[in-house]
Amino acid sequence: MPQPIYLDWFTPHSKYGFAMKPLSHQDYPYVGHDFVLSVDTNSYGFRDDEFSIAEDSTKVRIALLGDSYLFGHGVTVAERLDTHLARVLEREGLSAEVMNCGVPGWGTRTEILFALDHLEELRPDIVVLVFCGNDPSNDRGDVIPRFSDPDHPLYGLKRFVRNHSHVYRLGLKYRTTTRHRRGARAELAKHGTANFDAQTASVITDEDWERTLGMIRAFHEDFLAFNPKGQMAVLATAPDNDGIGRQLASLTNGMDLRYLDIKEAFTAITPEERRTPWDSHWGPKVHEIAGRAIAAWILEHHGE
């Protein structure tokens, strides 16, 4: 789910729980750093240019589904994986429409719901799911975010303090993180055989994995029913987590559904390069690795 410090970016949604506000702009300065995350959304609410919906059979249409990693927390759009992907494909002579549908806080369930609702509009030839380790816990659907009430008399004051006080935001971040980790420990104690995803401090049970992997397989079938020539791939935000890798690798069918393993390239860079200095999300180098890996797979397998 989205964190409270970002809630001004979001709006409640009757089907998805929440979505990003369409055609909006916000600058988010990171506490204690000079970096400012500039976010402009298109008419779908995604941090991307407007998607082309005109019929154009000459372009390969690529839909990227994911959460805050795909959205690009902590990096500019120019540094993001879809930009690297588009650049490599263009250099190799493959004309493509790359559509970044990343929303912070969405899990696999919500990403798939959106994709199914918009297949006719997006018309993807290729779908890439950027899988975060907390997706299976998000897919339970038992956590609903609370949004600020613009009509509340203190809304303006609280928003001003949140946007301009580093101390307030640090305290809010600490409170949110502490509450999340406390809840994770309670879940882990309740499910003795559950897995703990260190990247997101989330507890994942075998039932969670079965549910989420089943969703991905079912979506793959629906996608092929829409586009029999379609190709789909899954990529992990924690490629060095062997447990996640094994689960996602089980999806590979040797034909039109593949797990893209970037562990070797990911572990070859330094720990500092793997994340941004201002939060725990991918650094620019990982976005480049991921974008190039997706491009290499597309160039090798597109048209099979």
Side-chain angles (χ1 to χ4, degrees), residues 139-212:
D139 293 341
R140 296 177 197 147
D142 54 6
V143 179
I144 305 298
R146 294 175 55 192
F147 292 91
S148 301
D149 180 6
D151 296 325
H152 192 281
L154 295 180
Y155 173 78
L157 176 61
K158 291 175 67 175
R159 181 176 180 178
F160 177 85
V161 173
R162 186 169 66 243
N163 290 342
H164 294 87
S165 172
H166 287 345
V167 174
Y168 177 84
R169 286 164 54 192
L170 279 172
L172 190 61
K173 181 178 181 180
Y174 174 79
R175 187 184 69 178
T176 302
T177 302
T178 301
R179 182 186 303 160
H180 180 72
R181 290 186 180 276
R182 188 182 301 122
R185 286 196 294 270
E187 282 290 313
L188 193 59
K190 184 167 60 176
H191 304 284
T193 60
N195 300 304
F196 182 74
D197 175 46
Q199 185 185 51
T200 60
S202 299
V203 175
I204 312 299
T205 68
D206 292 341
E207 182 181 357
D208 292 331
W209 272 115
E210 184 177 352
R211 180 195 309 112
T212 294

Side-chain angles (χ1 to χ4, degrees), residues 17-167:
F18 59 90
M20 292 192 66
K21 294 176 180 176
L23 302 175
S24 67
H25 170 83
Q26 184 172 351
D27 290 329
Y28 177 76
Y30 280 83
V31 176
H33 299 277
D34 293 333
F35 181 77
V36 176
L37 184 69
S38 182
V39 177
D40 292 283
T41 61
N42 62 19
S43 59
Y44 285 98
F46 299 130
R47 189 188 178 201
D48 202 349
D49 295 332
E50 283 299 324
F51 300 155
S52 172
I53 60 175
E55 295 286 346
D56 186 351
S57 60
T58 64
K59 283 191 174 184
V60 177
R61 300 183 64 82
I62 305 167
L64 306 176
L65 307 176
D67 64 358
S68 54
Y69 286 84
L70 177 61
F71 165 88
H73 256 306
V75 297
T76 66
V77 172
E79 296 171 317
R80 210 168 51 180
L81 72 87
D82 51 303
T83 303
H84 290 288
L85 168 61
R87 186 179 298 129
V88 173
L89 295 181
E90 181 180 13
R91 186 171 64 241
E92 295 298 323
L94 183 62
S95 180
E97 171 90 2
V98 181
M99 299 169 283
N100 186 313
C101 304
V103 175
W106 275 10
T108 303
R109 177 199 297 272
T110 313
E111 294 155 9
I112 286 174
L113 279 175
F114 171 83
L116 289 173
D117 287 345
H118 296 84
L119 281 176
E120 293 287 348
E121 298 169 40
L122 301 181
R123 307 188 319 280
D125 300 295
I126 295 168
V127 173
V128 179
L129 176 66
V130 180
F131 183 93
C132 185
N134 67 351
D135 280 4
S137 62
N138 284 343
D139 293 341
R140 296 177 197 147
D142 54 6
V143 179
I144 305 298
R146 294 175 55 192
F147 292 91
S148 301
D149 180 6
D151 296 325
H152 192 281
L154 295 180
Y155 173 78
L157 176 61
K158 291 175 67 175
R159 181 176 180 178
F160 177 85
V161 173
R162 186 169 66 243
N163 290 342
H164 294 87
S165 172
H166 287 345
V167 174

